[in-house]
Amino acid sequence: MASEFLRLYPSANILVTTKKDFETHNRKKFCARIATGDYDAIIMGHSQFERIPISRERQERLLYEQIDEITEGIAEVQASGGERFTVKQLERTRKSLEARLEKLQAEGRKDDVVTFEQLGVDRLFVDEAHNYKNLFLYTKMRNVAGLSTSDAQKSSDMFAKCRYMDEITGNRGVIFATGTPVSNSMTELYTMQRYLQYERLQELNMTHFDCWASRFGETVTALELAPEGTGYRARTRFSKFFNLPELMNLFKEVADIKTADQLNLPTPEVEYHNIVAQPTEHQQEMVKALSERASLVHSGTVDPSQDNMLKITSDGRKLGLDQRIVNQMLPDESGTKVNQCVDNIMQIWRDGKADKLTQLVFCDISTPQAKAPASKAAKTLDNPLLHALEGAVPLPEQEPVFTVYDDIRQKLIAQGMPADQIAFIHEANTEVRKKELFSKVRTGQVRVLLGSTAKMGAGTNVQDRLVALHDLDCPWRPGDLAQRKGRIERQGNQNPLVHVYRYVTEGTFDAYLWQTVENKQKFISQIMTSKSPVRSCDDVDETALSFAEIKALCAGDPRIKERMDLDVEVSRLKLMKADHQSKQYRLEDQLLKYFPEEIEKHKGFIKGFESDLEVLAAHPHPEDGFAGMEIRGDLLTDKENAGAALLDACKEVKTSDPVQIGSYRAMPYPWNFPHGNRSIRSC
């Protein structure tokens, strides 16, 4: 980032932090350096920024404000005769905040490090701002999918610092930059507004989430595929949204949304390939077992510590990827999506050998395993006695754990790909190693790079020779899919056409995963668009339709697939109808109001120009010499004298209103003439 900053501002004085700067013994000195130095910009990582504390007084004030808001919420629920569960939930949240407040007040000043307020910062630029989406949220709603009341410490810290910047800059001191401001649920848009326009929400009485949601959203209960992949269940979620133009106008007070169709960047064309793998017999049996486990959990006959939906969900995701992750003793069958992925990688590798074309493989589960605990401890402690002990006492070798990453690498090597052309992002565990690895991918030395969304998403710029991207699994968030695709659909890619492969296993947990992504994408795509939104929406757009298509491929019953295909077509037609109606209404408004006003306005222009032409014809400009100019009642025939008199007359005018100071060729000569239809030029 520092190089880009200097490219824009070559003479800027920039301070770039390192990990050593924020070690315990260096932190105080470094913060003091920021406060006393004359720097134009300080560039640091998110984790380093969190270590700069906000003052205790401000922390206490924010906690008091949150406690007061919750107390008001409890009173509202009790007054309206709300559910006791909701009151208890809010009471529990209030007690946790009070405990944090007591702990803060009880602590002495352990460190007299410079606080954030003392640094002298007047602008705060936050890149990849979606990392701060888990901000404190309380609501009276219950059992609504997509609403999370979890709170991340880094998000609370960022909120406190944003509030401080708003105070000292008049709400103009914070700039967020992100490609996915809403990556998962409706709450994230509300969170972004709390960061960037908190006082505006206060003006509109929408600081409480329930007040915000009541104006723009509605909960709907509908049947969805069960997580175990078989059967259906009722689920309540935000799926209907109203007043979208007002919401967009409110959000655009602080947001400048730029979509791909607006930017028109020189990015390659993307071709999608949905690869469907049939489930093996073992996978089918295990899916049935997951369904039975889920039924027992729902009936309450199983102790949650023994089995729960989280465990079932985790096993379902693993099963959809490869049966050997659940039980590595199961056979490796040829038709699985992992093997299909290997075949596609090899074919593309052979085709792109001459140009050294590269590929990315994304997989968020079954990642490479760390070293054995004993070896890791010896290396960490750097104790010679431990190393000697390890050498003297032969430890039993642990059976290697199956991972998809190792399996793909071994199969690629077995088919003829050199081992040094395959790499895992997890092996680059330092910034230096990561930089070296990215350089090798850009030059084609490493042609296949495997990694997870978290490690190989934002910040991975290796697009130069990328020709294919493989999604082995489906992430939980649509934003993660956008981050993955953004690695290859990017400026600087030398290939005019690139390919994105998405692999699904029919009749497994993959169906539920793609459905979840589709539901989350519905609202996101309506908000993050360059087009005017419709008044209300409960359907998907083109982006979400591709997710629905994948979901349909995962469903084993052909009737379900047919139903989903019809739903997709109906959704597309509804979207087209809404767009057509919006254009119709816009044209009607133009015909009834805008166009008549424009016609009358231009008729006035025509009359003015005709009058000017008549004056011009009556007072032609002499072929040789100066036509003369009347200023303050004096007729001046000398050009230089007229210019000097004109400047003197202009200096005497002290108002911004038009004042006539003379005439030229029978036309009035005003000093300020902002709205007229005539143009006067000095000769």
Side-chain angles (χ1 to χ4, degrees), residues 401-455:
V401 179
F402 172 83
T403 67
V404 168
Y405 282 66
D406 291 325
D407 187 57
I408 291 174
R409 176 153 62 181
Q410 291 167 10
K411 288 175 178 176
L412 292 175
I413 294 172
Q415 294 190 35
M417 187 180 296
D420 59 354
Q421 294 188 14
I422 309 165
F424 301 162
I425 191 68
H426 304 75
E427 296 170 346
N429 51 8
T430 66
E431 288 300 320
V432 176
R433 290 181 179 178
K434 189 180 288 187
K435 189 176 180 180
E436 184 182 353
L437 175 60
F438 288 173
S439 177
K440 287 181 178 180
V441 178
R442 284 193 289 268
T443 56
Q445 297 177 59
V446 172
R447 295 187 56 196
V448 178
L449 180 61
L450 294 87
S452 61
T453 312
K455 289 185 175 292

Side-chain angles (χ1 to χ4, degrees), residues 12 37 60 143 162 231 248 260 272 348 374 389 482 504 548 600 607 645:
E60 288 180 9
N143 296 330
C162 287
M248 282 297 300
Y272 293 92
I348 296 168
L389 185 63
V504 296
E600 292 300 319
K607 287 182 180 178

Side-chain angles (χ1 to χ4, degrees), residues 81 118 134 214 217 352 377 506-507 546 582 585 600 644 679:
Q118 296 170 329
N134 291 327
S214 64
E506 195 172 86
S546 65
S582 296
Y585 297 147
E600 292 300 319
S679 176

Side-chain angles (χ1 to χ4, degrees), residues 240-421:
K240 266 188 175 300
F241 300 94
F242 302 101
N243 303 324
L244 287 182
E246 287 78 9
L247 177 58
M248 282 297 300
N249 290 335
L250 178 62
F251 186 54
K252 284 184 176 180
E253 290 180 8
V254 295
D256 184 17
I257 301 172
K258 297 295 181 184
T259 57
D261 59 319
Q262 289 177 295
L263 298 174
N264 196 25
L265 298 173
T267 57
E269 184 183 348
V270 182
E271 184 177 341
Y272 293 92
H273 308 268
N274 297 325
I275 311 300
V276 186
Q278 297 299 318
T280 66
E281 291 183 4
H282 294 288
Q283 283 177 318
Q284 291 175 354
E285 292 174 3
M286 295 170 86
V287 167
K288 290 179 182 177
L290 289 177
S291 179
E292 293 170 1
R293 284 170 57 188
S295 299
L296 293 173
V297 170
H298 280 298
S299 64
T301 57
V302 180
D303 189 344
S305 62
Q306 299 298 319
D307 200 9
N308 50 63
M309 287 306 300
L310 188 61
K311 281 187 175 181
I312 296 171
T313 300
S314 177
D315 292 344
R317 290 192 71 195
K318 294 174 183 176
L319 184 61
L321 180 57
D322 197 290
Q323 61 191 28
R324 292 170 294 168
I325 303 173
V326 181
N327 184 356
Q328 60 185 37
M329 300 302 294
L330 292 175
D332 179 17
E333 302 192 25
S334 59
T336 64
K337 65 181 185 181
V338 172
N339 286 320
Q340 291 193 48
C341 178
V342 170
D343 293 340
N344 290 330
I345 292 172
M346 284 303 302
Q347 185 60 48
I348 296 168
W349 177 79
R350 294 188 192 98
D351 295 342
K353 200 168 185 177
D355 297 325
K356 295 184 177 180
L357 300 182
T358 59
Q359 304 176 66
L360 294 182
V361 182
F362 280 97
C363 185
D364 292 347
I365 52 181
S366 190
T367 54
Q369 300 295 308
K371 293 182 179 180
S375 301
K376 191 174 180 181
K379 185 178 178 182
T380 304
L381 297 172
D382 197 21
N383 192 325
L385 293 175
L386 284 177
H387 285 290
L389 185 63
E390 285 181 6
V393 182
L395 297 173
E397 291 189 7
Q398 295 183 348
E399 189 176 340
V401 179
F402 172 83
T403 67
V404 168
Y405 282 66
D406 291 325
D407 187 57
I408 291 174
R409 176 153 62 181
Q410 291 167 10
K411 288 175 178 176
L412 292 175
I413 294 172
Q415 294 190 35
M417 187 180 296
D420 59 354
Q421 294 188 14

